[in-house]
Amino acid sequence: MLAAVSEVGRRVRGALPAVGLLTLATAAMLGVSTLLGFAPAPAAWRIALTLVAAGLLGIAAADQVRAALTDWQGATAAESGVHRRPRRGLIDLAGELSGERTGDWTGDRVLAGRLGDEERTETGIFTGRTRRVPTTGDLWGEPDEPPSRSERPEPPARGRPPRPSWMRIAVTTLIAAALAALLWVPQVPVSGVARTAAQFVVGYGAFALPVLPLLLAWPLPRLRRGPRWSWRLPLLPVADRRLWTGAELRELAVTTLAFLRERVLTRASGIVLATLGLLHLVRGNPNLLDGGTNRAGGLAGFLLAEPLRLLLASGGAIALLGGVLAGAAAVIAASVGRAWGTVTGYSVLAVALVVPLGLAGASHWLGYEYYLRTQDGRVVVVAGLSPRHVQSVHDTSLRVDGMSPSLVALLDKGLPVTGNDDGERIAKALAQPGTSAAELYVGDQFELKSGECFDWIGGSSQLRYVAPCNGAHVGEVTFVGHLPFTVDPGKSAVDAAAKAMCEQSYGDYLGVPFGQSFLPLEAPLLPPALEEGWHARPVIACWLGSVGPWTLKGTRTVAALQQKTPWGAAGGCKIEVPDALRVTAAQPGVRCLAPGPEQRLSVPGGGFAMDLEFAAIGKAAGGAKVGAGCFDGANLTNGYSFEVAPDGVIEIWKHFADQHARLTASAKPKNAGPPTTASTPLQVTCKPTPDGGVELTAFSTGSRKASVVDKNAPITSLSPRLVLANAEAGGVVMTTMIFNATRV
């Protein structure tokens, strides 16, 4: 019983240095990381769990740390000439009774015996190997006093590892040179692929990969090891076509854990892995799928650090990995000091701690890209490893509300910028294009200004020339300005930003914001020189297609007969646009709307005024009605219609789902023909009222007027449409000669 208790006590005492080293290093790292802002302080229970984990790792590395401590003491004693007499316990003496010595000792030991007056003196540094010592006499006697300094023999020279073979040096140097060429020299053909693959695996550690093979050229002194890991055991099901036995599984588990213990806790591989994990944590835990890990610790850092972060929080994971790094650095430094001197050992310790921790610490603030993007309905500049990764946020004071769809989509995706100031400048220029307006757009053999109308020759030349807006023309320039980029953001970003600026300036020119009019923007005109190479702040031109012999500036036009927009109607209806717009009701009992469901535009709270004129639909049209309407583009079954009946009466209807209610009607026309035999002009308005209703008004020739205010659950999300209501016969055609809708 006493022997068992003594054995436990010896093991506990033997583990104390390792437990103390890793626990103190972990606690220090936790305090430093919290003070420097690498991560917030974890909860109390996570701190306790982190320190417990550090203690368990210390117990696992007890033998290695104790051996390293002995090495360091031996190296220090040998250099200083101080030879200590180590304490000898009952267990040490019991071992010597059998003629065996196990353990570590340094300095000179003098042991006197009672048999004959023999004196045995041992001088040297014991490295932990079992030695057989012939003994005689009474080993329980007291040791003599140590000899004076002048009588002591000089300590033996420290044993250095043998010089590696030239083959080993050549192979490691060749590997390092090949990696350097692949990862450091962009001109190598496969450098890009190799760098991408390496960064995926180890992130920023890829740039240090060429240095690591050089560490193998002159290996460190080997530490005591447990049973050697056998690569044959995992292959038993394939090689011997049988499953593992229980003993083999235990052997595989024990040897694997022993291998990992040595490689992670006491070797350079542990420093490398801990550094990759720290890179992942201090750079904001990037996601594996957004590419951010390539600029942190890579896949290896992600797999190592993420489980620790989920268990111990970021602060605890940083502290534990820092403790592991400090422990491995101390063991390596002691091993080097034993072979090459304490000065070299201290140097290795400093390098092994300062370089990884310094690089990981600096990477918390440096090496990020800046992206202009949206967050919580605001435009911000984020510093991160990818557009989705956020390390820090700078608010530009711009809100997303009111921005065009293309601009919102561009910012949602993330636009690369050079910094906070550059991002804020670009954001304001995109949101307010007028601040970056230019005087002139210079094309290929033509020049255009904002507000000018133009025509072109066509064909392959596409040569444009200025034309009067009150005559025939192809398009009208709505904005000329600079793209705000000083550095090339890429073709897709240039195209998206040009489109976004045109959409943002749309409302300033037309009077109706983009997205509240059927009139489409044409593709922006980019400078021809941009195809030859990038230049800062290129000038673009935005333009609208012509809808008639007049200017569109400030007209608040929402729809026009000549608009280049999908007119497609619903089932049972057909739309053709040759010289005029023809809507055909192919089946009886349908209501045809143009534009149809493909045009889903609706303006909440928007009011419209429409001017229309229809050709006669013919006497065979039966009970068909022609007119206009204000309908919800998202659901064309809801809205209001103004329909001219075969007898010429104007009827105002309200439609909600499958319910149709006539709200009011005008008198019969005076001295005006019905739509079946005469052309029918029509002016209608639908607009919201201050008290929450919708005012509906229609006029036509022959003193026809109908007006009503709908206050019974009014429909307020509306857009202008043409209407053909076919009651009896199929094949009715409504020809529209004038259709123009404006905002009121």
Side-chain angles (χ1 to χ4, degrees), residues 82 237 270 373 539 570:
V82 177
R373 50 166 286 194
V539 177

Side-chain angles (χ1 to χ4, degrees), residues 477-534:
V477 180
T478 61
F479 174 74
V480 174
H482 296 275
L483 285 178
F485 306 121
T486 56
V487 179
D488 186 4
K491 185 179 185 306
S492 61
V494 167
D495 293 341
K499 183 178 179 182
M501 291 188 74
C502 290
E503 291 178 357
Q504 284 294 110
S505 61
Y506 182 98
D508 295 336
Y509 190 86
L510 189 65
V512 179
F514 185 82
Q516 298 185 16
S517 172
F518 289 156
L519 302 187
L521 270 169
E522 304 295 336
L525 301 177
L526 300 177
L530 208 60
E531 298 179 359
E532 301 175 0
W534 171 259

